[in-house]
Amino acid sequence: MKATAPRGRRPRRKEAAAPSPAAIESVPLAVGDKRHPVLGLGLWGLGRWSAEDEARTRATIGRAIERGVRWFDTAEVYGAGRSERLLGDVLRRATEGAQALVVTKLSWEHLRANQVRASLVRSLDRLGRASVDLYLVHAPDRRVPLAETMGALEQLQQEGRIGAIGVSNFSVEELEEAGRHLRSTQLVVNQVRYNLFDREDAEAVLPYCREHGIVVEAYTPLARGLLNGRYLDGRRPPAEVRQYAQDLFGESRLPEIVRQARGLQQLAAEAGVPLPSLAFHWVRARGAAPVFGASRPEQVDANLDAWAQRPDEATIARADALVRGERA
Ligand SMILES: NC(=O)c1ccc[n+]([C@@H]2O[C@H](COP(=O)([O-])OP(=O)(O)OC[C@H]3O[C@@H](n4cnc5c(N)ncnc54)[C@H](OP(=O)(O)O)[C@@H]3O)[C@@H](O)[C@H]2O)c1
């Protein structure tokens, strides 16, 4: 129910009021003393890296810091290093920057032992830090034995340049193998794609990760804006969005997904929450930590407002059934 101010005593609307920080819980990491917030901001799709895009990205990261976000995800491949550079710069200038959990990733093209060290050194240089809190293998490459990559990462962790080691896009078999090659430490994170419409990869690894104390970070939790209500009016996602989300926005799946998303929107309206609340809290309820993308401050605001509104369990269960049911 909406609270209304008594007649005649309606408070004046504050212009440009400072946004309040969102309450974002965190969980301890299995290695080191850092905690892992359960909601974070990812810095992949940030436009075309024009000066205007960069200014907007700085403002976006700045807004996220103001709003209480403390987990930032980047990678050496994002904008060919520009994402790391911008993040490092904004965090250095912010008072709260030192509290952030900074996560970056080793490219799947740099998994050889000699490449691992060189990649990390370049990433640290761009981030302007002596060490990174969490370093993830972006994706496996079957041509490079995991023993080689894990050995190099462990060495760098022992030197204090990596707080903890994680992976991304790993199956259970790959997690087991990577774990076998770590002698004095363990994997703390597996970052995988997870949203109401894309479940298979994450659900295949969630039980194993739970059992082994590995945090599952869920990327693309908003289905590239679809779960913010985008494209529900029948507009087609632009080519650059389709290119990286083919299985989601391919011709054969899109009409069904849009129909389901409209159903979710109606469900969210009935429950009195914004659509992305359902998207985020469905992921959270399944034991994963969403890392969303945003390319402007207003998106950060909308997403954090959505996070702050938690649908009840019955609504989350109905959202789940709606997508599963219509698929069957
Ligand atoms: N490990 C991996 O292989 C991997 C792969 C993909 C992503 N990731 C990480 O996960 C992060 C998130 O992934 P993602 O960008 O695919 O996920 P997403 O959160 O599902 O989608 C983000 C996009 O949705 C749109 N959006 C966000 N908030 C919105 C709002 N309030 N209203 C309208 N549109 C909104 C924006 O598109 P516009 O910018 O077009 O406005 C934004 O860039 C990435 O930044 C990256 O750090 C990792």
Side-chain angles (χ1 to χ4, degrees), residues 40-47 56 72-75 78 105 108 136-139 167-169 191-193 195 218-226 228-231 238 240-241 244 276 280 291-296 298-303:
L41 175 68
L43 302 166
W44 166 42
L46 305 170
R56 214 178 46 234
F72 295 93
D73 180 81
T74 181
Y78 296 167
K105 310 188 199 78
W108 52 90
L136 312 186
V137 174
H138 206 141
V167 292
S168 175
N169 301 303
Q191 186 179 106
V192 289
R193 192 175 212 210
N195 63 55
Y219 70 73
T220 316
L222 300 170
R224 308 282 309 144
L226 186 82
N228 296 97
R230 242 184 212 183
Y231 316 124
E240 60 203 46
V241 172
Y244 291 108
F280 284 145
V291 54
F292 67 90
S295 55
R296 51 197 73 237
E298 308 84 83
Q299 293 180 347
V300 168
D301 281 336
N303 294 341

Side-chain angles (χ1 to χ4, degrees), residues 59-80:
T60 304
I61 302 169
R63 181 65 60 86
I65 296 172
E66 263 171 57
R67 295 283 313 250
V69 173
R70 295 291 179 267
W71 160 27
F72 295 93
D73 180 81
T74 181
E76 62 171 317
V77 299
Y78 296 167

